Amino acid sequence: MPEILDQARERVLGNGVGLDEAGILAVLNLPDEHLPAALQLAHEVRMRWCGPEVEVEGIVSLKTGGCPEDCHFCSQSGLFTSPVRSVWLDIPALVEAAKQTAATGATEFCIVAAVRGPDARLMKQMREGVAAIRAAVDIQVAASLGMLTKEQVDELVEMGVHRYNHNLETCRSYFPNVVTTHSWEERWETLRMVRESGMEVCCGGILGLGETVEQRAEFAAQLAELDPHEVPLNFLNPRPGTPLGDRPVVEGKDALRAIAAFRLAMPRTILRYAGGRELTLGDLGTREGLLGGINAVIVGNYLTTLGRPATADLELLEDLKMPVKALSATL
Amino acid sequence: MTESSPATAALPAVRWCDRCGESVATGPHPACEAARAWEPPRWCASCRRRMKVQVVPAGWSAVCVEHGERRG
Ligand code: SF4
């Protein structure tokens, strides 16, 4: 057994203390023959510190495309030649999407907008949309609207938004290679205000942007320092027309190593499968990740790409005897 | 993901790849076809207009101002 896994067994499984950056890097560098042991340990950590439940979420894009920012992986930036056009979802369609999500047993519904930060029109649409969902659907509402002012944070709290997603996307040292129109620190500032407001912090990123393994470890350590309630883990799905459109997808084994490493860095967080798993891991890898530290999924489609049908994931969870977290457990 | 097409009597000819927007006159685009398992269409296959596409958790719709709406 590699030394790092023995150390992690005592420190993370035994005491609930996440690995430091050097330990995370050691897990990311484990040879293939030790990957099953790393996943098994990450699974034990998740079961001990989070339990068997899996949190199920649906996401929808309230405002798609036309974003002024230049995140190099993103098909919704208006600065690239991506074919994604700008489009707004109306409130009846938003409520219908929340209903479809709740029908899967999901407890979370995240409303997302492709913006640098919300303007008055978007905040109005959010106010009306969240009120309409809360009146018609039993589900927790989360939001992801880019960088916020303090006033906007307070407004979202007032609307009843219980969790706010704002991904750091990658580690601090690599961020300027991926985004030039705003800084990692600006994102961190929004996360700080969200945390102070009492909303739950949801913050993750994308693996496969060209970062080194060391930078992947740096990112996990920086997330652990933030200590978010939830970490959505995406794997790059290279989008046509974006600067990262020709990058290869992450190797399945590297993705699984990252899942184990992120779990061992953050034993108590909700570690969610987000975009890209279909390409990177396929059905078998999806199962392995759920047995290797993942305890939450986005079901159905993503913002501009498609996911597995919700029924496929729900059947898998049933097969793995992992109960879907009930709404009562989240309130 | 299954797809339905607008309920028109005679569908216009498919001339463009609905993923990359290039011509399909010289043959199919296998890479685009594979990618479309996880993507909605973006280009109208009849006129090569960029469509307005809305993805929701359980489906998608793609609208061409000339050739109507497709859903999946
Ligand atoms: S801010 Fe969000 S929507 Fe805009 S380009 Fe970056 S990732 Fe895409």
Side-chain angles (χ1 to χ4, degrees):
Chain A
M1 179 71 63
E3 204 184 321
I4 182 60
L5 294 185
D6 284 335
Q7 286 169 6
R9 182 164 289 280
E10 191 182 325
R11 176 182 167 124
V12 191
L13 182 61
N15 300 325
V17 178
L19 291 180
D20 62 11
E21 190 173 330
I24 298 165
L25 180 59
V27 174
L28 289 172
N29 279 326
L30 281 174
D32 286 356
E33 70 258 32
H34 295 305
L35 179 57
L39 289 167
Q40 173 60 32
L41 177 59
H43 182 59
E44 288 175 46
V45 166
R46 166 265 174 117
M47 294 299 267
R48 166 137 196 220
W49 295 104
C50 302
E53 291 86 10
V54 174
E55 193 185 85
V56 175
E57 177 185 54
I59 61 175
V60 77
S61 179
L62 180 61
K63 185 247 168 195
T64 304
C67 180
E69 303 304 293
D70 76 344
C71 311
H72 291 14
F73 52 81
C74 183
S75 64
Q76 300 197 66
S77 169
L79 302 176
F80 311 139
T81 56
S82 154
V84 173
R85 280 185 66 182
S86 188
V87 55
W88 284 74
L89 192 68
D90 62 26
I91 304 237
L94 180 70
V95 174
E96 184 53 36
K99 280 185 184 160
Q100 288 171 356
T101 300
T104 67
T107 53
E108 293 286 319
F109 182 65
C110 187
I111 304 170
V112 186
V115 289
R116 176 183 169 89
D119 58 10
R121 177 186 176 194
L122 180 57
M123 290 303 279
K124 180 172 178 286
Q125 188 85 344
M126 276 298 292
R127 184 171 287 283
E128 291 171 13
V130 174
I133 291 168
R134 284 164 60 96
V137 192
D138 242 3
I139 199 159
Q140 299 257 53
V141 178
S144 182
L145 314 172
M147 291 178 284
L148 302 175
T149 63
K150 175 76 176 71
E151 293 68 37
Q152 288 167 336
V153 170
D154 294 342
E155 253 187 283
L156 291 173
V157 172
E158 203 185 293
M159 288 176 206
V161 171
H162 88 117
R163 187 180 294 173
Y164 193 77
N165 165 264
H166 195 47
N167 290 339
L168 286 167
E169 306 300 9
T170 191
C171 66
R172 190 175 188 163
S173 71
Y174 193 63
F175 191 87
N177 296 80
V178 179
V179 184
T180 68
T181 47
H182 59 269
S183 66
W184 197 88
E185 289 74 15
E186 284 175 276
R187 289 195 180 216
W188 186 275
E189 177 58 15
T190 288
L191 290 161
R192 190 192 59 73
M193 287 189 291
V194 168
R195 154 80 35 83
E196 270 180 8
S197 76
M199 267 191 289
E200 291 176 359
V201 173
C202 170
C203 178
I206 308 178
L207 303 185
L209 300 175
E211 74 282 2
T212 62
V213 178
E214 287 76 14
Q215 286 169 323
R216 223 168 260 181
E218 179 194 336
F219 182 40
Q222 285 162 344
L223 286 174
E225 186 192 335
L226 178 70
D227 191 23
H229 196 82
E230 173 188 337
V231 174
L233 205 49
N234 296 271
F235 305 103
L236 180 69
N237 176 351
R239 299 289 72 220
T242 65
L244 299 182
D246 293 326
R247 276 207 62 77
V249 299
V250 176
E251 285 288 326
K253 284 191 171 151
D254 289 338
L256 291 171
R257 256 186 285 272
I259 288 168
F262 277 58
R263 170 55 71 202
L264 295 176
M266 293 170 279
R268 291 179 178 79
T269 197
I270 296 172
L271 187 59
R272 189 181 304 279
Y273 263 145
R277 68 178 152 114
E278 296 77 10
L279 294 183
T280 286
L281 290 166
D283 290 353
L284 182 62
T286 293
R287 186 186 180 96
E288 286 178 281
L290 280 161
L291 290 168
I294 294 284
N295 67 334
V297 292
I298 289 176
V299 290
N301 294 333
Y302 301 105
L303 304 175
T304 62
T305 58
L306 310 179
R308 290 162 29 118
T311 47
D313 281 332
L314 296 173
E315 279 166 17
L316 175 58
L317 295 181
E318 205 178 315
D319 195 35
L320 294 172
K321 306 213 174 352
M322 291 181 185
V324 172
K325 193 197 269 184
L327 193 59
S328 57
T330 69
L331 296 174
Chain B
M1 193 59 60
T2 54
E3 240 177 80
S4 61
S5 302
T8 47
L11 290 173
V14 171
R15 296 168 54 209
W16 308 100
C17 173
D18 66 8
R19 178 175 188 257
C20 71
E22 296 302 321
S23 171
V24 291
T26 52
H29 296 184
C32 290
E33 279 168 21
R36 278 278 280 105
W38 303 110
E39 296 173 20
R42 292 284 166 192
W43 303 86
C44 176
S46 304
C47 67
R48 205 193 187 199
R49 278 188 177 84
R50 269 196 314 158
M51 296 190 288
K52 280 203 165 181
V53 179
Q54 180 73 59
V55 176
V56 291
W60 53 263
S61 70
V63 177
C64 167
V65 285
E66 181 67 25
H67 294 103
E69 185 179 38
R70 290 170 67 190
R71 283 180 176 273

Coordinates of all heavy atoms in Angstrom, one line a residue, chain A residues 59 61 82-87 89 97 100-101 239-240 278-279 300-308, chain B residues 1 19 35-40 42-43 49-60 63 65 72:
Chain A
I59 N -30.0 21.6 -13.5 CA -29.6 23.0 -13.7 C -30.3 23.5 -15.0 O -30.6 22.7 -15.9 CB -28.1 23.1 -13.9 CG1 -27.5 22.3 -15.0 CG2 -27.4 22.7 -12.6 CD1 -26.0 22.5 -15.3
S61 N -30.4 27.0 -17.8 CA -29.8 28.3 -18.2 C -30.9 29.3 -18.4 O -31.8 29.2 -19.3 CB -29.0 28.1 -19.5 OG -28.5 29.4 -19.9
S82 N -18.1 30.6 -31.4 CA -19.0 29.5 -31.0 C -20.3 29.7 -31.6 O -20.8 30.8 -31.7 CB -19.1 29.5 -29.5 OG -20.3 28.9 -29.1
P83 N -21.0 28.6 -32.0 CA -22.3 28.8 -32.6 C -23.5 29.0 -31.6 O -24.6 29.2 -32.0 CB -22.6 27.4 -33.3 CG -21.7 26.4 -32.6 CD -20.6 27.2 -32.0
V84 N -23.2 29.1 -30.3 CA -24.2 29.3 -29.3 C -24.7 30.7 -29.4 O -24.0 31.7 -29.3 CB -23.7 29.0 -27.9 CG1 -24.7 29.3 -26.9 CG2 -23.3 27.5 -27.8
R85 N -26.1 30.8 -29.6 CA -26.7 32.2 -29.7 C -27.3 32.6 -28.4 O -27.6 31.8 -27.6 CB -27.8 32.2 -30.8 CG -27.3 32.2 -32.2 CD -28.4 32.4 -33.2 NE -29.2 33.6 -33.0 CZ -30.3 33.9 -33.8 NH1 -30.7 33.0 -34.7 NH2 -30.9 35.0 -33.6
S86 N -27.4 33.9 -28.2 CA -28.0 34.4 -27.0 C -29.5 34.1 -27.0 O -30.2 34.4 -28.0 CB -27.7 35.9 -27.0 OG -28.1 36.4 -25.7
V87 N -30.0 33.6 -25.8 CA -31.4 33.3 -25.7 C -31.8 33.4 -24.2 O -31.0 33.0 -23.4 CB -31.8 31.9 -26.4 CG1 -30.9 30.8 -25.8 CG2 -33.2 31.6 -26.3
L89 N -34.7 32.3 -21.2 CA -35.8 31.4 -20.9 C -36.9 32.2 -20.3 O -36.6 33.0 -19.4 CB -35.3 30.3 -19.9 CG -36.1 29.1 -19.7 CD1 -36.2 28.2 -20.9 CD2 -35.5 28.3 -18.5
A97 N -39.2 23.6 -16.1 CA -37.9 23.0 -15.9 C -37.7 22.6 -14.4 O -37.2 21.5 -14.2 CB -36.8 23.9 -16.4
Q100 N -39.9 19.5 -13.8 CA -39.3 18.3 -14.4 C -38.2 17.8 -13.5 O -38.0 16.6 -13.3 CB -38.7 18.6 -15.8 CG -39.8 18.8 -16.9 CD -39.1 19.3 -18.2 OE1 -37.9 19.6 -18.2 NE2 -39.9 19.4 -19.2
T101 N -37.4 18.8 -13.0 CA -36.3 18.4 -12.1 C -36.8 17.8 -10.8 O -36.3 16.7 -10.4 CB -35.4 19.6 -11.8 OG1 -34.9 20.2 -13.1 CG2 -34.3 19.3 -10.9
R239 N -15.3 22.6 -26.6 CA -16.4 23.2 -27.4 C -15.9 23.8 -28.7 O -15.0 24.6 -28.6 CB -17.2 24.3 -26.6 CG -17.8 23.8 -25.3 CD -19.1 22.9 -25.5 NE -18.7 21.6 -26.0 CZ -19.4 20.9 -26.9 NH1 -20.5 21.5 -27.4 NH2 -19.1 19.8 -27.3
P240 N -16.6 23.5 -29.8 CA -16.1 24.1 -31.1 C -16.1 25.7 -31.0 O -17.0 26.3 -30.4 CB -17.2 23.6 -32.0 CG -17.9 22.4 -31.4 CD -17.7 22.7 -29.9
E278 N -19.7 12.3 -19.2 CA -20.2 11.3 -20.2 C -19.0 11.0 -21.2 O -18.9 9.9 -21.6 CB -21.4 11.9 -21.0 CG -22.6 12.1 -20.2 CD -22.6 13.3 -19.3 OE1 -21.7 14.2 -19.4 OE2 -23.5 13.5 -18.4
L279 N -18.3 12.1 -21.6 CA -17.2 11.9 -22.5 C -16.0 11.3 -21.8 O -15.3 10.4 -22.4 CB -16.7 13.2 -23.1 CG -17.7 14.0 -24.0 CD1 -17.0 15.2 -24.5 CD2 -18.2 13.1 -25.1
G300 N -29.9 14.9 -16.0 CA -30.5 15.5 -17.2 C -29.4 16.3 -17.9 O -28.2 16.1 -17.8
N301 N -29.9 17.3 -18.6 CA -29.0 18.1 -19.5 C -28.3 19.1 -18.7 O -28.7 19.5 -17.6 CB -29.8 18.7 -20.6 CG -30.4 17.7 -21.6 OD1 -29.9 16.6 -21.7 ND2 -31.6 18.0 -22.2
Y302 N -27.2 19.6 -19.4 CA -26.5 20.8 -18.8 C -27.0 22.1 -19.4 O -28.1 22.1 -19.8 CB -25.0 20.5 -19.1 CG -24.5 19.2 -18.5 CD1 -24.2 18.1 -19.3 CD2 -24.4 19.1 -17.1 CE1 -23.8 16.9 -18.7 CE2 -24.0 17.9 -16.5 CZ -23.7 16.8 -17.3 OH -23.3 15.6 -16.8
L303 N -26.1 23.1 -19.5 CA -26.6 24.4 -19.9 C -26.7 24.5 -21.5 O -27.7 25.0 -22.0 CB -25.7 25.5 -19.4 CG -25.5 25.4 -17.9 CD1 -24.5 26.5 -17.4 CD2 -26.8 25.7 -17.2
T304 N -25.7 24.0 -22.1 CA -25.7 24.0 -23.6 C -25.4 22.6 -24.2 O -25.5 22.5 -25.4 CB -24.6 25.0 -24.1 OG1 -23.3 24.5 -23.7 CG2 -24.8 26.4 -23.6
T305 N -25.1 21.6 -23.4 CA -24.9 20.3 -23.9 C -25.8 19.3 -23.2 O -26.5 19.7 -22.2 CB -23.4 19.9 -23.6 OG1 -23.1 19.9 -22.2 CG2 -22.4 20.7 -24.4
L306 N -25.8 18.1 -23.6 CA -26.8 17.1 -23.1 C -26.2 16.1 -22.2 O -25.0 15.8 -22.3 CB -27.5 16.4 -24.3 CG -28.0 17.3 -25.4 CD1 -28.6 16.4 -26.5 CD2 -29.0 18.3 -24.9
G307 N -26.9 15.7 -21.2 CA -26.4 14.7 -20.2 C -27.2 13.4 -20.4 O -28.0 13.3 -21.3
R308 N -26.8 12.4 -19.6 CA -27.6 11.1 -19.6 C -29.0 11.4 -19.2 O -29.2 12.3 -18.3 CB -27.0 10.1 -18.6 CG -25.6 9.6 -19.1 CD -24.8 9.0 -18.0 NE -25.4 8.3 -16.9 CZ -25.2 7.0 -16.6 NH1 -24.6 6.2 -17.4 NH2 -25.8 6.5 -15.5
Chain B
M1 N -30.8 10.4 -26.9 CA -31.8 11.5 -27.0 C -32.5 11.4 -28.3 O -31.9 11.4 -29.3 CB -31.0 12.8 -26.8 CG -31.8 14.1 -26.6 SD -32.8 14.2 -25.1 CE -31.6 14.0 -23.8
R19 N -24.3 20.3 -36.7 CA -23.4 20.6 -35.6 C -22.3 21.6 -36.0 O -22.1 22.6 -35.3 CB -22.7 19.3 -35.2 CG -21.7 19.6 -34.1 CD -21.0 18.4 -33.5 NE -20.3 18.7 -32.4 CZ -18.9 18.8 -32.4 NH1 -18.2 18.6 -33.5 NH2 -18.3 19.1 -31.3
A35 N -20.6 13.4 -31.9 CA -20.7 14.5 -30.9 C -22.2 14.8 -30.6 O -22.5 15.3 -29.5 CB -20.0 15.7 -31.3
R36 N -23.0 14.7 -31.6 CA -24.4 15.1 -31.5 C -25.2 14.2 -30.4 O -26.3 14.6 -30.0 CB -25.1 15.1 -32.8 CG -24.9 16.3 -33.7 CD -25.8 17.5 -33.3 NE -27.1 17.3 -33.9 CZ -28.2 16.9 -33.2 NH1 -28.2 16.7 -31.9 NH2 -29.3 16.8 -33.9
A37 N -24.6 13.1 -30.0 CA -25.2 12.3 -29.0 C -25.3 13.2 -27.7 O -26.2 13.0 -26.9 CB -24.4 11.1 -28.7
W38 N -24.4 14.1 -27.5 CA -24.3 14.9 -26.3 C -24.5 16.4 -26.6 O -24.2 17.2 -25.8 CB -23.0 14.6 -25.6 CG -22.8 13.2 -25.3 CD1 -21.9 12.4 -25.8 CD2 -23.5 12.4 -24.3 NE1 -22.0 11.1 -25.3 CE2 -23.0 11.1 -24.4 CE3 -24.6 12.7 -23.4 CZ2 -23.5 10.0 -23.6 CZ3 -25.0 11.6 -22.7 CH2 -24.5 10.3 -22.8
E39 N -25.1 16.7 -27.7 CA -25.3 18.1 -28.0 C -26.5 18.3 -28.8 O -26.9 17.5 -29.6 CB -24.1 18.6 -29.0 CG -22.8 18.6 -28.4 CD -21.7 19.0 -29.4 OE1 -22.0 19.6 -30.4 OE2 -20.5 18.6 -29.1
P40 N -27.2 19.5 -28.6 CA -28.3 19.8 -29.5 C -27.8 20.3 -30.9 O -26.6 20.6 -30.9 CB -29.1 20.9 -28.8 CG -28.0 21.6 -28.0 CD -27.0 20.5 -27.7
R42 N -27.0 23.0 -33.7 CA -26.8 24.5 -33.6 C -27.1 25.2 -34.9 O -27.3 26.4 -34.9 CB -25.3 24.7 -33.2 CG -25.0 24.3 -31.8 CD -25.5 25.3 -30.8 NE -25.5 24.7 -29.4 CZ -26.1 25.3 -28.4 NH1 -26.8 26.4 -28.6 NH2 -26.1 24.7 -27.2
W43 N -27.0 24.5 -36.0 CA -27.1 25.1 -37.4 C -28.3 24.5 -38.0 O -28.6 23.3 -37.9 CB -25.9 24.9 -38.2 CG -24.6 25.4 -37.6 CD1 -23.8 24.7 -36.8 CD2 -24.0 26.7 -37.9 NE1 -22.7 25.5 -36.4 CE2 -22.8 26.7 -37.1 CE3 -24.4 27.8 -38.6 CZ2 -22.0 27.8 -37.1 CZ3 -23.5 28.9 -38.6 CH2 -22.3 28.9 -37.8
R49 N -28.6 28.7 -41.1 CA -28.7 29.8 -40.1 C -28.3 29.2 -38.8 O -28.6 28.0 -38.5 CB -30.2 30.3 -40.1 CG -30.6 31.3 -41.1 CD -31.9 31.9 -40.8 NE -32.3 32.9 -41.8 CZ -32.8 32.6 -43.0 NH1 -33.1 31.4 -43.3 NH2 -33.1 33.6 -43.8
R50 N -27.7 30.1 -37.9 CA -27.5 29.6 -36.5 C -28.9 29.7 -35.8 O -29.6 30.7 -35.9 CB -26.6 30.6 -35.8 CG -25.1 30.2 -35.9 CD -24.3 30.9 -34.9 NE -24.5 32.3 -34.8 CZ -24.3 33.1 -33.8 NH1 -23.7 32.6 -32.7 NH2 -24.5 34.4 -33.8
M51 N -29.2 28.6 -35.2 CA -30.5 28.5 -34.5 C -30.5 29.0 -33.1 O -29.4 29.0 -32.5 CB -31.0 27.1 -34.6 CG -31.2 26.5 -36.0 SD -32.1 24.9 -36.0 CE -30.8 23.9 -35.4
K52 N -31.6 29.4 -32.6 CA -31.8 29.8 -31.2 C -32.1 28.5 -30.5 O -33.1 27.9 -30.6 CB -32.9 30.8 -31.0 CG -32.5 32.2 -31.4 CD -33.4 33.2 -30.7 CE -32.8 34.6 -30.8 NZ -33.6 35.6 -30.1
V53 N -31.1 28.1 -29.6 CA -31.2 26.8 -29.0 C -31.4 27.0 -27.5 O -30.6 27.7 -26.8 CB -30.0 26.0 -29.2 CG1 -30.1 24.6 -28.5 CG2 -29.8 25.8 -30.7
Q54 N -32.4 26.4 -26.9 CA -32.6 26.4 -25.5 C -32.5 25.0 -25.0 O -33.3 24.1 -25.4 CB -34.0 27.0 -25.1 CG -34.3 27.0 -23.6 CD -33.5 28.1 -22.9 OE1 -33.6 29.3 -23.2 NE2 -32.6 27.7 -21.9
V55 N -31.6 24.7 -24.0 CA -31.5 23.4 -23.4 C -32.1 23.5 -22.0 O -31.9 24.4 -21.3 CB -30.0 23.0 -23.3 CG1 -29.9 21.7 -22.6 CG2 -29.3 22.9 -24.7
V56 N -33.0 22.5 -21.7 CA -33.6 22.4 -20.4 C -33.2 21.0 -19.9 O -32.8 20.2 -20.6 CB -35.1 22.7 -20.4 CG1 -35.4 24.2 -20.7 CG2 -35.8 21.8 -21.4
P57 N -33.5 20.8 -18.6 CA -33.0 19.5 -18.0 C -33.5 18.2 -18.8 O -32.8 17.3 -18.9 CB -33.6 19.5 -16.6 CG -33.6 20.9 -16.2 CD -34.0 21.7 -17.5
A58 N -34.7 18.3 -19.3 CA -35.3 17.1 -19.9 C -35.4 17.2 -21.4 O -36.1 16.4 -22.1 CB -36.6 16.8 -19.3
G59 N -34.8 18.2 -22.1 CA -34.9 18.3 -23.5 C -34.2 19.5 -24.1 O -33.4 20.2 -23.4
W60 N -34.6 19.8 -25.3 CA -34.0 21.0 -26.0 C -35.0 21.5 -27.1 O -35.8 20.6 -27.6 CB -32.6 20.8 -26.5 CG -32.4 19.6 -27.4 CD1 -32.0 18.4 -27.1 CD2 -32.8 19.6 -28.8 NE1 -32.0 17.6 -28.2 CE2 -32.5 18.3 -29.3 CE3 -33.3 20.5 -29.8 CZ2 -32.7 17.9 -30.6 CZ3 -33.5 20.1 -31.1 CH2 -33.2 18.8 -31.5
V63 N -34.6 26.7 -32.8 CA -35.5 27.4 -33.7 C -34.7 28.1 -34.8 O -33.8 28.9 -34.6 CB -36.3 28.5 -32.9 CG1 -37.2 29.3 -33.9 CG2 -37.2 27.8 -31.8
V65 N -35.5 30.8 -37.9 CA -36.6 31.7 -38.2 C -37.3 31.3 -39.5 O -38.4 31.6 -39.8 CB -36.1 33.2 -38.4 CG1 -35.8 33.8 -37.0 CG2 -34.9 33.3 -39.3
G72 N -36.0 18.0 -29.0 CA -35.4 16.7 -28.7 C -35.5 16.5 -27.2 O -35.9 17.3 -26.4

